[in-house]
Amino acid sequence: CLYLLGLILGWMGVNEHSFIAVKPDGVHRRLVGEIIRRFEKKGFRLVGMKLVQASEDLLREHYWDLRDKPFFNGLVRYMSSGPIVAMVWQGLDVVKMSRKMLGETNPADSLPGTIRGDYCMEVGRNVIHGSDSVESAQREISLWFRQNELQCWEDSSGHWIYE
């Protein structure tokens, strides 16, 4: 599968992958379809998706770099409080582009037209998570997905999206 080879070789460009998760507040507010629509309209390819109730252990590992922050335990409790839609998207500069689509972590700093700018009011309920680097994406994808849960498929619209 090109995806797995890409993880090993650290490919960039068209074969770049990002981990995106609709958080419990986004699922409960029924924003999943709108978020998927935005990524599809942008031209990214969905290669993995599942609805999960994440364990605290998984979330502590996922947010390991925030473990010393005062909000860490509250974040883990909140993220384990309801279902999460975990996704892997593929495309050219998908990590960088998806971060722009999400908006700033603090919705008050997010521009209208971004997901957080359009749907969020507070940092603690900011609807969505997105990998902040290619390396983070690789680590996060490996935490949330087994290799047989990721699909390798050719998108027939690719020549309409990429030169």
mmCIF file of all heavy atoms in Angstrom, residues 13-43:
data_model
loop_
_atom_site.group_PDB
_atom_site.id
_atom_site.type_symbol
_atom_site.label_atom_id
_atom_site.label_comp_id
_atom_site.label_asym_id
_atom_site.label_seq_id
_atom_site.Cartn_x
_atom_site.Cartn_y
_atom_site.Cartn_z
ATOM 1 N N GLY A 13 3.855 15.878 -0.300
ATOM 2 C CA GLY A 13 3.079 16.120 -1.507
ATOM 3 C C GLY A 13 1.806 15.307 -1.559
ATOM 4 O O GLY A 13 1.121 15.163 -0.572
ATOM 5 N N VAL A 14 1.504 14.769 -2.730
ATOM 6 C CA VAL A 14 0.247 14.062 -2.949
ATOM 7 C C VAL A 14 0.072 12.920 -1.959
ATOM 8 O O VAL A 14 -1.033 12.611 -1.539
ATOM 9 C CB VAL A 14 0.148 13.553 -4.404
ATOM 10 C CG1 VAL A 14 -1.076 12.679 -4.596
ATOM 11 C CG2 VAL A 14 0.097 14.732 -5.357
ATOM 12 N N ASN A 15 1.142 12.285 -1.548
ATOM 13 C CA ASN A 15 1.053 11.144 -0.649
ATOM 14 C C ASN A 15 1.126 11.521 0.827
ATOM 15 O O ASN A 15 1.263 10.650 1.668
ATOM 16 C CB ASN A 15 2.141 10.132 -0.990
ATOM 17 C CG ASN A 15 1.895 9.512 -2.344
ATOM 18 O OD1 ASN A 15 0.804 9.033 -2.615
ATOM 19 N ND2 ASN A 15 2.884 9.552 -3.205
ATOM 20 N N GLU A 16 1.028 12.813 1.123
ATOM 21 C CA GLU A 16 1.030 13.243 2.515
ATOM 22 C C GLU A 16 -0.320 12.918 3.149
ATOM 23 O O GLU A 16 -1.355 12.981 2.494
ATOM 24 C CB GLU A 16 1.293 14.753 2.566
ATOM 25 C CG GLU A 16 1.488 15.299 3.942
ATOM 26 C CD GLU A 16 1.856 16.770 3.892
ATOM 27 O OE1 GLU A 16 2.931 17.105 3.356
ATOM 28 O OE2 GLU A 16 1.059 17.577 4.394
ATOM 29 N N HIS A 17 -0.290 12.547 4.438
ATOM 30 C CA HIS A 17 -1.495 12.185 5.170
ATOM 31 C C HIS A 17 -1.609 13.031 6.424
ATOM 32 O O HIS A 17 -0.601 13.426 7.001
ATOM 33 C CB HIS A 17 -1.462 10.712 5.571
ATOM 34 C CG HIS A 17 -1.506 9.807 4.396
ATOM 35 N ND1 HIS A 17 -0.394 9.477 3.672
ATOM 36 C CD2 HIS A 17 -2.543 9.180 3.810
ATOM 37 C CE1 HIS A 17 -0.743 8.670 2.684
ATOM 38 N NE2 HIS A 17 -2.041 8.472 2.752
ATOM 39 N N SER A 18 -2.845 13.280 6.851
ATOM 40 C CA SER A 18 -3.094 13.987 8.100
ATOM 41 C C SER A 18 -4.170 13.264 8.884
ATOM 42 O O SER A 18 -5.092 12.679 8.310
ATOM 43 C CB SER A 18 -3.519 15.431 7.840
ATOM 44 O OG SER A 18 -3.562 16.151 9.065
ATOM 45 N N PHE A 19 -4.043 13.330 10.203
ATOM 46 C CA PHE A 19 -5.060 12.794 11.090
ATOM 47 C C PHE A 19 -5.985 13.932 11.487
ATOM 48 O O PHE A 19 -5.536 14.978 11.959
ATOM 49 C CB PHE A 19 -4.418 12.181 12.341
ATOM 50 C CG PHE A 19 -5.420 11.709 13.350
ATOM 51 C CD1 PHE A 19 -6.129 10.538 13.149
ATOM 52 C CD2 PHE A 19 -5.665 12.444 14.493
ATOM 53 C CE1 PHE A 19 -7.068 10.111 14.071
ATOM 54 C CE2 PHE A 19 -6.595 12.022 15.420
ATOM 55 C CZ PHE A 19 -7.302 10.851 15.208
ATOM 56 N N ILE A 20 -7.270 13.738 11.275
ATOM 57 C CA ILE A 20 -8.292 14.713 11.632
ATOM 58 C C ILE A 20 -9.305 13.993 12.515
ATOM 59 O O ILE A 20 -9.722 12.874 12.194
ATOM 60 C CB ILE A 20 -9.006 15.277 10.382
ATOM 61 C CG1 ILE A 20 -8.005 15.954 9.436
ATOM 62 C CG2 ILE A 20 -10.143 16.215 10.766
ATOM 63 C CD1 ILE A 20 -7.352 17.214 9.970
ATOM 64 N N ALA A 21 -9.702 14.610 13.611
ATOM 65 C CA ALA A 21 -10.705 14.011 14.490
ATOM 66 C C ALA A 21 -11.780 15.035 14.815
ATOM 67 O O ALA A 21 -11.475 16.146 15.258
ATOM 68 C CB ALA A 21 -10.056 13.512 15.771
ATOM 69 N N VAL A 22 -13.022 14.660 14.587
ATOM 70 C CA VAL A 22 -14.137 15.478 15.038
ATOM 71 C C VAL A 22 -14.352 15.097 16.494
ATOM 72 O O VAL A 22 -14.621 13.935 16.817
ATOM 73 C CB VAL A 22 -15.409 15.245 14.204
ATOM 74 C CG1 VAL A 22 -16.546 16.145 14.700
ATOM 75 C CG2 VAL A 22 -15.140 15.507 12.725
ATOM 76 N N LYS A 23 -14.209 16.082 17.364
ATOM 77 C CA LYS A 23 -14.281 15.857 18.802
ATOM 78 C C LYS A 23 -15.737 15.626 19.240
ATOM 79 O O LYS A 23 -16.671 15.862 18.467
ATOM 80 C CB LYS A 23 -13.684 17.068 19.525
ATOM 81 C CG LYS A 23 -12.198 17.271 19.232
ATOM 82 C CD LYS A 23 -11.690 18.510 19.939
ATOM 83 C CE LYS A 23 -10.208 18.721 19.701
ATOM 84 N NZ LYS A 23 -9.718 19.924 20.422
ATOM 85 N N PRO A 24 -15.919 15.169 20.496
ATOM 86 C CA PRO A 24 -17.276 14.878 20.950
ATOM 87 C C PRO A 24 -18.276 16.021 20.758
ATOM 88 O O PRO A 24 -19.431 15.764 20.395
ATOM 89 C CB PRO A 24 -17.090 14.544 22.437
ATOM 90 C CG PRO A 24 -15.719 13.952 22.501
ATOM 91 C CD PRO A 24 -14.922 14.773 21.511
ATOM 92 N N ASP A 25 -17.863 17.262 20.952
ATOM 93 C CA ASP A 25 -18.814 18.368 20.758
ATOM 94 C C ASP A 25 -19.228 18.490 19.299
ATOM 95 O O ASP A 25 -20.391 18.774 18.995
ATOM 96 C CB ASP A 25 -18.268 19.688 21.296
ATOM 97 C CG ASP A 25 -16.939 20.110 20.690
ATOM 98 O OD1 ASP A 25 -16.060 19.242 20.513
ATOM 99 O OD2 ASP A 25 -16.762 21.306 20.416
ATOM 100 N N GLY A 26 -18.325 18.241 18.371
ATOM 101 C CA GLY A 26 -18.649 18.287 16.945
ATOM 102 C C GLY A 26 -19.577 17.158 16.534
ATOM 103 O O GLY A 26 -20.482 17.345 15.711
ATOM 104 N N VAL A 27 -19.379 15.970 17.135
ATOM 105 C CA VAL A 27 -20.260 14.836 16.840
ATOM 106 C C VAL A 27 -21.656 15.119 17.389
ATOM 107 O O VAL A 27 -22.657 14.974 16.682
ATOM 108 C CB VAL A 27 -19.686 13.522 17.421
ATOM 109 C CG1 VAL A 27 -20.686 12.374 17.249
ATOM 110 C CG2 VAL A 27 -18.352 13.180 16.760
ATOM 111 N N HIS A 28 -21.732 15.556 18.645
ATOM 112 C CA HIS A 28 -23.029 15.834 19.263
ATOM 113 C C HIS A 28 -23.776 16.967 18.567
ATOM 114 O O HIS A 28 -25.010 16.965 18.519
ATOM 115 C CB HIS A 28 -22.865 16.152 20.750
ATOM 116 C CG HIS A 28 -22.672 14.939 21.590
ATOM 117 N ND1 HIS A 28 -23.697 14.131 21.987
ATOM 118 C CD2 HIS A 28 -21.541 14.381 22.097
ATOM 119 C CE1 HIS A 28 -23.228 13.135 22.709
ATOM 120 N NE2 HIS A 28 -21.916 13.262 22.783
ATOM 121 N N ARG A 29 -23.040 17.905 18.002
ATOM 122 C CA ARG A 29 -23.677 19.027 17.287
ATOM 123 C C ARG A 29 -23.967 18.689 15.831
ATOM 124 O O ARG A 29 -24.399 19.522 15.068
ATOM 125 C CB ARG A 29 -22.775 20.262 17.381
ATOM 126 C CG ARG A 29 -22.694 20.802 18.812
ATOM 127 C CD ARG A 29 -21.777 21.993 18.923
ATOM 128 N NE ARG A 29 -22.203 23.038 18.004
ATOM 129 C CZ ARG A 29 -21.395 24.014 17.573
ATOM 130 N NH1 ARG A 29 -20.139 24.050 17.986
ATOM 131 N NH2 ARG A 29 -21.839 24.925 16.749
ATOM 132 N N ARG A 30 -23.685 17.449 15.430
ATOM 133 C CA ARG A 30 -23.971 16.944 14.088
ATOM 134 C C ARG A 30 -23.246 17.744 12.994
ATOM 135 O O ARG A 30 -23.816 18.087 11.965
ATOM 136 C CB ARG A 30 -25.475 16.914 13.843
ATOM 137 C CG ARG A 30 -26.194 15.925 14.735
ATOM 138 C CD ARG A 30 -27.700 16.025 14.609
ATOM 139 N NE ARG A 30 -28.377 14.968 15.326
ATOM 140 C CZ ARG A 30 -28.594 14.962 16.642
ATOM 141 N NH1 ARG A 30 -28.143 15.932 17.394
ATOM 142 N NH2 ARG A 30 -29.248 13.962 17.206
ATOM 143 N N LEU A 31 -21.951 17.985 13.238
ATOM 144 C CA LEU A 31 -21.124 18.718 12.280
ATOM 145 C C LEU A 31 -20.244 17.804 11.435
ATOM 146 O O LEU A 31 -19.503 18.281 10.576
ATOM 147 C CB LEU A 31 -20.243 19.732 13.025
ATOM 148 C CG LEU A 31 -21.002 20.835 13.757
ATOM 149 C CD1 LEU A 31 -20.042 21.678 14.594
ATOM 150 C CD2 LEU A 31 -21.777 21.704 12.779
ATOM 151 N N VAL A 32 -20.318 16.496 11.651
ATOM 152 C CA VAL A 32 -19.437 15.553 10.959
ATOM 153 C C VAL A 32 -19.585 15.676 9.441
ATOM 154 O O VAL A 32 -18.597 15.778 8.717
ATOM 155 C CB VAL A 32 -19.690 14.108 11.430
ATOM 156 C CG1 VAL A 32 -18.875 13.116 10.603
ATOM 157 C CG2 VAL A 32 -19.367 13.966 12.909
ATOM 158 N N GLY A 33 -20.811 15.653 8.941
ATOM 159 C CA GLY A 33 -21.036 15.718 7.499
ATOM 160 C C GLY A 33 -20.510 17.001 6.891
ATOM 161 O O GLY A 33 -19.898 16.995 5.813
ATOM 162 N N GLU A 34 -20.712 18.120 7.577
ATOM 163 C CA GLU A 34 -20.218 19.416 7.091
ATOM 164 C C GLU A 34 -18.691 19.421 7.030
ATOM 165 O O GLU A 34 -18.093 19.925 6.071
ATOM 166 C CB GLU A 34 -20.712 20.540 8.002
ATOM 167 C CG GLU A 34 -20.102 21.888 7.732
ATOM 168 C CD GLU A 34 -20.398 22.446 6.349
ATOM 169 O OE1 GLU A 34 -21.378 22.034 5.709
ATOM 170 O OE2 GLU A 34 -19.619 23.316 5.894
ATOM 171 N N ILE A 35 -18.056 18.852 8.036
ATOM 172 C CA ILE A 35 -16.589 18.814 8.066
ATOM 173 C C ILE A 35 -16.059 17.916 6.957
ATOM 174 O O ILE A 35 -15.135 18.302 6.228
ATOM 175 C CB ILE A 35 -16.101 18.386 9.466
ATOM 176 C CG1 ILE A 35 -16.381 19.523 10.462
ATOM 177 C CG2 ILE A 35 -14.625 18.003 9.435
ATOM 178 C CD1 ILE A 35 -16.231 19.157 11.911
ATOM 179 N N ILE A 36 -16.651 16.751 6.777
ATOM 180 C CA ILE A 36 -16.237 15.863 5.688
ATOM 181 C C ILE A 36 -16.430 16.565 4.345
ATOM 182 O O ILE A 36 -15.560 16.515 3.476
ATOM 183 C CB ILE A 36 -17.015 14.527 5.742
ATOM 184 C CG1 ILE A 36 -16.565 13.711 6.955
ATOM 185 C CG2 ILE A 36 -16.819 13.729 4.450
ATOM 186 C CD1 ILE A 36 -17.407 12.483 7.219
ATOM 187 N N ARG A 37 -17.553 17.238 4.185
ATOM 188 C CA ARG A 37 -17.841 17.956 2.941
ATOM 189 C C ARG A 37 -16.744 18.968 2.626
ATOM 190 O O ARG A 37 -16.292 19.077 1.488
ATOM 191 C CB ARG A 37 -19.196 18.677 3.031
ATOM 192 C CG ARG A 37 -19.599 19.382 1.741
ATOM 193 C CD ARG A 37 -20.879 20.189 1.916
ATOM 194 N NE ARG A 37 -20.702 21.347 2.789
ATOM 195 C CZ ARG A 37 -20.148 22.509 2.400
ATOM 196 N NH1 ARG A 37 -19.720 22.655 1.173
ATOM 197 N NH2 ARG A 37 -20.036 23.502 3.248
ATOM 198 N N ARG A 38 -16.288 19.700 3.623
ATOM 199 C CA ARG A 38 -15.236 20.707 3.403
ATOM 200 C C ARG A 38 -13.941 20.059 2.915
ATOM 201 O O ARG A 38 -13.292 20.581 2.014
ATOM 202 C CB ARG A 38 -14.988 21.517 4.666
ATOM 203 C CG ARG A 38 -16.114 22.482 4.982
ATOM 204 C CD ARG A 38 -15.804 23.265 6.234
ATOM 205 N NE ARG A 38 -16.895 24.171 6.566
ATOM 206 C CZ ARG A 38 -16.707 25.384 7.043
ATOM 207 N NH1 ARG A 38 -15.486 25.859 7.258
ATOM 208 N NH2 ARG A 38 -17.744 26.155 7.338
ATOM 209 N N PHE A 39 -13.571 18.943 3.512
ATOM 210 C CA PHE A 39 -12.341 18.265 3.097
ATOM 211 C C PHE A 39 -12.484 17.679 1.698
ATOM 212 O O PHE A 39 -11.561 17.741 0.891
ATOM 213 C CB PHE A 39 -11.935 17.196 4.122
ATOM 214 C CG PHE A 39 -11.215 17.773 5.306
ATOM 215 C CD1 PHE A 39 -11.925 18.312 6.372
ATOM 216 C CD2 PHE A 39 -9.840 17.803 5.353
ATOM 217 C CE1 PHE A 39 -11.265 18.871 7.462
ATOM 218 C CE2 PHE A 39 -9.166 18.357 6.430
ATOM 219 C CZ PHE A 39 -9.889 18.894 7.490
ATOM 220 N N GLU A 40 -13.635 17.107 1.406
ATOM 221 C CA GLU A 40 -13.857 16.556 0.067
ATOM 222 C C GLU A 40 -13.882 17.668 -0.979
ATOM 223 O O GLU A 40 -13.283 17.524 -2.053
ATOM 224 C CB GLU A 40 -15.167 15.776 0.022
ATOM 225 C CG GLU A 40 -15.095 14.444 0.710
ATOM 226 C CD GLU A 40 -16.376 13.647 0.618
ATOM 227 O OE1 GLU A 40 -17.472 14.253 0.578
ATOM 228 O OE2 GLU A 40 -16.288 12.417 0.589
ATOM 229 N N LYS A 41 -14.545 18.766 -0.689
ATOM 230 C CA LYS A 41 -14.613 19.868 -1.654
ATOM 231 C C LYS A 41 -13.238 20.476 -1.909
ATOM 232 O O LYS A 41 -12.977 20.970 -2.998
ATOM 233 C CB LYS A 41 -15.592 20.946 -1.180
ATOM 234 C CG LYS A 41 -17.028 20.567 -1.413
ATOM 235 C CD LYS A 41 -17.938 21.735 -1.148
ATOM 236 C CE LYS A 41 -19.179 21.555 -1.986
ATOM 237 N NZ LYS A 41 -19.862 22.796 -2.227
ATOM 238 N N LYS A 42 -12.382 20.436 -0.904
ATOM 239 C CA LYS A 42 -11.025 20.942 -1.073
ATOM 240 C C LYS A 42 -10.244 20.067 -2.055
ATOM 241 O O LYS A 42 -9.350 20.530 -2.739
ATOM 242 C CB LYS A 42 -10.318 21.006 0.293
ATOM 243 C CG LYS A 42 -8.946 21.601 0.253
ATOM 244 C CD LYS A 42 -9.016 23.077 -0.034
ATOM 245 C CE LYS A 42 -7.654 23.700 0.033
ATOM 246 N NZ LYS A 42 -7.713 25.110 -0.343
ATOM 247 N N GLY A 43 -10.615 18.788 -2.121
ATOM 248 C CA GLY A 43 -9.933 17.873 -3.028
ATOM 249 C C GLY A 43 -9.139 16.791 -2.334
ATOM 250 O O GLY A 43 -8.466 15.999 -2.990
#
